[in-house]
Amino acid sequence: MKILITGGAGYIGSHVVKQFLEKSDHDIIVLDNLSTGHESTLDTLEKISRQSGRGTLRFYRTDLADFAAVEKIFLADRFDALIHFAASIVVSESVTNPLKYYMNNTVNTANLIRLCHEYGVTKMIFSSTAAVYGEPDFTSMSHTDNEMKITENMSTKPINPYGMSKLMSETVIRDTASANNDFKYVILRYFNVAGADIRNRIGECHDPETHLIPLIVKAALGKKEKITLFGDDYDTPDGTCIRDYIHVEDLASAHIRALSYLDEGNESDIFNCGYGHGFSVREVIESVKKVSGVDFKVEIAPRRLGDPALLVADNTKIKTSLGWQPQYDDLSLICQTAIDWEKTL
Ligand SMILES: NC(=O)c1ccc[n+]([C@@H]2O[C@H](COP(=O)([O-])OP(=O)(O)OC[C@H]3O[C@@H](n4cnc5c(N)ncnc54)[C@H](O)[C@@H]3O)[C@@H](O)[C@H]2O)c1
């Protein structure tokens, strides 16, 4: 297959490109403007491609907002599938600059789907997020247990423009597929993605960094003076928020499975990507302290607006429908790979 991967120079996209290069014979075409992705990541991916000697890797430095340039890429090649990672991802920035998010995340996604439609690309995998659920409303569900996990059919009520821009993209994808039987999609709603390549060749490098694990790791490595813990009075066992952390390698393998699923002729669908259990902020801090052997300063601050106490995926659907089996469901390993990677930066 020939697969167009937008955002393939970024954190999650690069791990998916890497797994395709190592495990398949597909030809990978990365489209990225390097706004938050890295040239050095592409260099590493090229090396991995040469070593694997299987499919090929090509790169277009192109901005998705340049519709004419993106169309030229669709004209030059006939893609079998599109995997769309490219997006703006900083929730707080989406509140102060919502148009950036609606333009980059929603408008550019709609344009890509238009091009898929015009150029006969019939399979799409889309990076969505647990942020589409907002503050989950468990009262709308008939929960038979007390586990409070989020299922894909729960109501979607994003509480910030980032989540809304992704939900709007999901809507464009779903409506296009409803009107066009040939167009099939898998929407993956990621929970908290963390960790790095098991062989420490690529990893997470965001500026500004807003994700918890790399921030804690920076504190452990002395790159930050302290870690700030927002709220220790939630209704959770230790009072801090609980999140479902998924290792980026397992998330990447979900994409490989999703493409096979579509290729096997299965129906379009939406899947949560998480391990189905969570860790509190305190537990993550303790894990990084233990794995790094460093004690660092933790400052308690008031709760932030819009941080639900608990966000944990129900992952039954992805396991049963895609046959996805995580291999790295281990908080220490997530922290260890994040630390090893941060040391290389
Ligand atoms: N990181 C997470 O924890 C997380 C959680 C849920 C969902 N997601 C989603 O996963 C996807 C990837 O996230 P990430 O953490 O790898 O982010 P990232 O910033 O590391 O990667 C995004 C990539 O897209 C590229 N890009 C952005 N806008 C572009 C444009 N207009 N044209 C071309 N390239 C562009 C960037 O240069 C970068 O390489 C995003 O869609 C994000 O919403 C991420």
Side-chain angles (χ1 to χ4, degrees):
M1 271 195 249
K2 236 179 218 183
I3 308 169
L4 178 63
I5 302 190
T6 73
Y11 170 44
I12 302 166
S14 62
H15 285 79
V16 173
V17 171
K18 181 202 74 167
Q19 288 198 9
F20 275 125
L21 293 173
E22 289 186 329
K23 296 182 184 171
S24 80
D25 298 319
H26 299 318
D27 293 323
I28 306 298
I29 296 92
V30 169
L31 185 167
D32 201 300
N33 64 0
L34 299 184
S35 54
T36 57
H38 303 280
E39 200 130 27
S40 55
T41 304
L42 288 169
D43 292 342
T44 306
L45 292 173
E46 262 164 32
K47 216 158 133 195
I48 292 171
S49 173
R50 277 196 304 275
Q51 281 163 357
S52 126
R54 298 183 68 172
T56 58
L57 173 67
R58 266 185 297 141
F59 171 57
Y60 289 101
R61 183 169 187 167
T62 303
D63 194 314
L64 284 178
D66 185 344
F67 288 6
V70 179
E71 183 151 6
K72 270 193 192 150
I73 295 172
F74 275 78
L75 260 172
D77 271 300
R78 199 209 153 277
F79 301 119
D80 300 286
L82 164 69
I83 308 185
H84 179 34
F85 295 96
S88 303
I89 68 160
V90 181
V91 172
S92 56
E93 185 191 45
S94 80
V95 176
T96 53
N97 190 359
L99 277 177
K100 175 175 172 183
Y101 284 71
Y102 290 118
M103 296 306 288
N104 197 27
N105 296 1
T106 312
V107 174
N108 290 343
T109 298
N111 183 55
L112 275 175
I113 296 165
R114 175 184 71 84
L115 291 171
C116 286
H117 188 62
E118 284 183 20
Y119 292 93
V121 182
T122 55
K123 300 178 197 74
M124 174 174 187
I125 298 170
F126 178 64
S127 299
S128 192
T129 163
V132 299
Y133 297 111
E135 300 198 31
D137 177 9
F138 290 105
T139 54
S140 68
M141 295 288 302
S142 56
H143 272 261
T144 49
D145 54 39
N146 295 319
E147 287 196 299
M148 311 280 274
K149 291 184 190 172
I150 298 173
T151 53
E152 290 84 351
N153 58 2
M154 276 182 75
S155 53
T156 45
K157 285 187 285 185
I159 53 168
N160 50 60
Y162 167 69
M164 185 55 87
S165 71
K166 287 284 178 174
L167 184 61
M168 287 165 81
S169 303
E170 286 193 9
T171 307
V172 180
I173 294 167
R174 294 167 73 167
D175 287 351
T176 304
S178 297
N180 171 6
N181 260 340
D182 294 335
F183 183 68
K184 302 287 181 204
Y185 66 82
V186 166
I187 291 170
L188 297 175
R189 291 178 177 159
Y190 314 160
F191 281 64
N192 289 56
V193 191
D197 171 41
I198 291 295
R199 292 176 56 191
N200 204 26
R201 296 164 295 179
I202 51 175
E204 184 165 14
C205 181
H206 292 127
D207 184 18
E209 187 54 77
T210 57
H211 296 133
L212 182 69
I213 289 186
L215 286 173
I216 300 176
V217 165
K218 283 181 201 296
L221 298 183
K223 297 184 182 186
K224 263 173 70 76
E225 186 213 333
K226 61 185 178 203
I227 184 79
T228 307
L229 192 165
F230 295 99
D232 64 351
D233 55 353
Y234 285 92
D235 185 16
T236 58
D238 68 14
T240 67
C241 290
I242 294 175
R243 296 290 179 268
D244 188 336
Y245 296 93
I246 174 171
H247 195 290
V248 67
E249 292 274 20
D250 277 332
L251 181 63
S253 75
H255 292 74
I256 313 279
R257 276 301 314 142
L259 186 60
S260 304
Y261 168 92
L262 289 181
D263 201 37
E264 289 154 11
N266 292 299
E267 282 311 309
S268 299
D269 216 334
I270 299 181
F271 301 102
N272 284 339
C273 294
Y275 288 146
H277 59 85
F279 291 98
S280 72
V281 177
R282 266 199 208 287
E283 285 173 320
V284 178
I285 291 173
E286 287 314 311
S287 180
V288 173
K289 283 188 176 175
K290 192 165 167 210
V291 172
S292 65
V294 180
D295 194 10
F296 46 86
K297 193 171 160 197
V298 179
E299 178 188 72
I300 312 291
R303 294 181 183 197
R304 290 182 303 198
L305 267 183
D307 267 346
L310 186 76
L311 285 178
V312 175
D314 183 322
N315 63 9
T316 313
K317 198 171 161 192
I318 188 168
K319 282 182 159 170
T320 47
S321 298
L322 292 195
W324 174 73
Q325 279 304 334
Q327 291 181 57
Y328 304 105
D329 180 358
D330 173 350
L331 183 62
S332 302
L333 181 77
I334 290 177
C335 295
Q336 184 68 64
T337 55
I339 291 168
D340 291 346
W341 171 251
E342 186 67 39
K343 283 182 181 164
T344 71
L345 295 178

